[in-house]
Amino acid sequence: MRILLLGSGGREHAFAWKLNQSAPSHSIYTAPGNPGTAKCGKNVQLDIKDFDAIRKFCIKEKIEMLIVGPEEPLVNGLYDYFKASEELKTIRFIGPSKEGAKLEGSKAFAKAFMQRHNIPTSKYREFTIENYEEGIKYLQQHALPIVLKADGLAAGKGVVICQSYVEAIAEFELMIQQAKFGEASKKVVVEDFLNGIEVSVFAITDGKNYVMLPEAKDYKRIGEGDKGLMTGGMGAVSPVPFVKDDFMRKVEERVIRPTINGIYREAIEYTGFIFFGLINVNGDPFVIEYNCRMGDPETEVVIPRLENDLVEICIAASDKELDKVQVKMDKRAAATIMAVSRGYPTGFEKGFEISGLDEKYGKQSIVFQAGTKEVNGKIVSNGGRVFCVTSFGEDIEDAVSSSLEVLNNIHFEGIYYRTDIGYEFKASASPQV
Ligand code: GLY
């Protein structure tokens, strides 16, 4: 099968790595990819926002399956573009329609969807310039902290947890009146804060059936002990020790099944991954957000734990036969640690040569590249999140310690990574919910 994968991060390197383990007859192209994905197939210099360029490439290279890594092309309607074209509509497309991608692309749409299908989430209201004054009054009588969410995509920065009324009103004004996130914050969702532990749960669906993938927990803050600024993700672990059978049963009964049934009943075209951002509140799951894609860096632990052939799963999804698939997961723990460039997530420099990436680190560890590029035969940093190291272990502590050992051997100027990924699951830590 001739497969085109869109994206260029660690998530896409993990996908390409897994696709490359499938039948050798598959041809894997990644656009635009990174030097890591180039080792798993061919990189193609395509702008993933340029639908016409993608169309031309798919026709020229007789692509048979398209897998979309990031949300943006989906939210912008790449699926619908393919299905409207005689030349492209038979290509197996892994990613939802524009309507399905609204689960991530519009927080208000996602909240209303959850309400319609009785899926547990926090109480909310939505506001625009039309009901701005009502919004201010709503904020003034709301319990603290207050969660404000820009309705649309805001590069992961659109959620603000406000600890005071002054902060909440200022942020509300910035978002709606001053378009802090452009179009994305013309509508704002105000929701109750939920206190608990977050967990990321993943499924792939054919629009009616679904299979669950391993769950994961990511670490979003830049500093040790989850302090400091939010980032795209500094590391992840899987499985998540507090996710026991009983909790997972509740997740399937209350969240996953009602979501997939809702998609089916509303005739939303959805073949692809769904990421359920959940919070465990005293043993009960609530949805914080949906994403219409896999998480990053969660994919870098979820995909290595998946024992099935990923191409076969994607074929079953596009044939609407996921009910015939049984997912097998590696029982070992996996942990990934992201190496970032000094200054991330605010200002950072690029272009530092990276040494040690290609050393052999044994079967238990894999280096997934993210913000890297090749210049004159050398790999240099090309983003804030540069690469991550995923390792397997008997438990999370063991997996983290193997990743740290590998990280000791890879260098670039200004490298920084957290050494405490999975800290709450150490044998010495206090017990979780
Ligand atoms: N790690 C969170 C995300 O991918 O959105």
Side-chain angles (χ1 to χ4, degrees):
M1 177 155 304
R2 301 174 69 75
I3 303 169
L4 173 62
L5 167 67
L6 298 186
S8 61
R11 169 182 51 209
E12 285 74 28
H13 188 181
F15 272 139
W17 170 85
K18 183 75 177 164
L19 293 169
N20 191 38
Q21 288 167 15
S22 211
S25 55
H26 298 318
S27 301
I28 316 226
Y29 298 92
T30 310
N34 63 39
T37 62
K39 289 193 273 185
C40 312
K42 278 194 191 138
N43 281 356
V44 192
Q45 285 321 303
L46 275 182
D47 175 358
I48 63 170
K49 291 196 207 86
D50 185 345
F51 290 4
D52 193 46
I54 298 173
R55 178 183 71 80
K56 286 186 181 134
F57 179 81
C58 286
I59 293 167
K60 181 166 157 270
E61 293 299 333
K62 300 186 170 49
I63 294 299
E64 297 165 284
M65 181 188 288
L66 181 66
I67 304 177
V68 184
E71 64 281 10
E72 208 182 324
L74 298 166
V75 170
N76 291 338
L78 185 60
Y79 172 93
D80 308 71
Y81 178 86
F82 266 59
K83 295 302 159 188
S85 156
E86 282 305 319
E87 296 159 295
L88 304 177
K89 70 180 184 195
T90 54
I91 295 177
R92 295 172 187 275
F93 194 109
I94 304 300
S97 62
K98 190 170 185 170
E99 187 69 5
K102 275 195 200 161
L103 286 174
E104 174 164 3
S106 166
K107 308 300 170 227
F109 176 90
K111 283 290 202 181
F113 177 90
M114 285 184 258
Q115 247 181 7
R116 286 198 294 283
H117 300 287
N118 216 5
I119 294 162
T121 188
S122 59
K123 195 159 77 54
Y124 83 105
R125 288 277 311 271
E126 57 186 79
F127 298 99
T128 61
I129 196 70
E130 305 299 326
N131 57 352
Y132 182 80
E133 290 307 324
E134 198 186 329
I136 298 284
K137 286 197 195 107
Y138 184 74
L139 291 175
Q140 283 164 337
Q141 54 77 47
H142 200 287
L144 292 172
I146 309 172
V147 182
L148 300 191
K149 288 182 174 173
D151 180 55
L153 294 184
K157 299 193 176 90
V159 179
V160 186
I161 300 171
C162 303
Q163 304 294 341
S164 72
Y165 294 109
V166 172
E167 187 189 357
I169 291 166
E171 193 61 43
F172 189 70
E173 198 232 312
L174 271 177
M175 284 195 189
I176 294 183
Q177 303 263 30
Q178 297 184 41
K180 179 177 177 185
F181 300 110
E183 279 294 311
S185 65
K186 281 198 163 164
K187 187 184 278 179
V188 169
V189 166
V190 177
E191 64 178 35
D192 290 4
F193 177 78
L194 293 176
N195 207 358
I197 313 176
E198 290 182 30
V199 57
S200 307
V201 170
F202 304 94
I204 178 165
T205 182
D206 56 22
K208 182 177 182 195
N209 311 292
Y210 66 91
V211 288
M212 306 280 301
L213 301 174
E215 82 282 358
K217 181 177 189 305
D218 75 334
Y219 293 80
K220 295 190 173 74
R221 301 225 176 236
I222 189 75
E224 309 257 316
D226 286 326
K227 303 267 169 22
L229 294 176
M230 293 290 276
T231 70
M234 295 297 292
V237 300
S238 177
V240 181
F242 71 75
V243 175
K244 306 266 193 280
D245 288 352
D246 179 44
F247 180 74
M248 215 51 199
R249 234 186 333 269
K250 290 182 192 173
V251 169
E252 277 214 68
E253 273 167 23
R254 299 178 192 175
V255 176
I256 315 288
R257 254 182 246 134
T259 300
I260 306 299
N261 289 344
I263 286 172
Y264 182 68
R265 287 215 297 271
E266 295 191 17
I268 295 172
E269 287 175 50
Y270 204 124
T271 299
F273 297 98
I274 308 193
F275 167 163
F276 301 85
L278 304 180
I279 188 156
N280 174 348
V281 183
N282 301 321
D284 289 320
F286 289 79
V287 179
I288 299 179
E289 63 174 6
Y290 289 116
N291 292 310
C292 60
R293 56 172 170 87
M294 288 294 289
D296 190 352
E298 290 97 324
T299 305
E300 292 92 305
V301 286
V302 169
I303 287 295
R305 287 194 63 222
L306 179 70
E307 289 182 340
N308 303 58
D309 182 314
L310 183 58
V311 176
E312 282 173 13
I313 293 190
C314 291
I315 290 175
S318 73
D319 285 345
K320 305 214 174 295
E321 289 189 341
L322 276 177
D323 51 328
K324 300 195 178 123
V325 171
Q326 255 204 322
V327 165
K328 292 192 207 79
M329 305 176 197
D330 192 318
K331 294 271 180 293
R332 290 174 299 168
T336 198
I337 302 177
M338 188 64 74
V340 305
S341 201
R342 182 173 48 222
Y344 175 80
T346 49
F348 55 86
E349 288 178 57
K350 302 178 190 178
F352 298 116
E353 184 178 344
I354 309 167
S355 63
L357 272 181
D358 286 329
E359 303 305 316
K360 297 274 170 269
Y361 290 114
K363 269 194 174 155
Q364 84 281 7
S365 295
I366 318 155
V367 180
F368 291 124
Q369 298 190 37
T372 57
K373 74 172 177 183
E374 194 185 321
V375 178
N376 300 328
K378 293 184 172 142
I379 307 295
V380 302
S381 65
N382 189 38
R385 293 195 297 171
V386 179
F387 67 89
C388 60
V389 180
T390 297
S391 301
F392 285 105
E394 286 309 308
D395 56 24
I396 287 170
E397 202 168 349
D398 186 29
V400 167
S401 126
S402 295
S403 282
L404 287 172
E405 231 169 85
V406 172
L407 277 155
N408 250 330
N409 294 287
I410 307 181
H411 302 282
F412 65 87
E413 197 183 316
I415 187 171
Y416 166 77
Y417 50 86
R418 279 179 60 172
T419 59
D420 70 337
I421 298 303
Y423 64 93
E424 67 277 60
F425 305 126
K426 280 188 169 177
S428 55
S430 49
Q432 299 298 306
V433 178

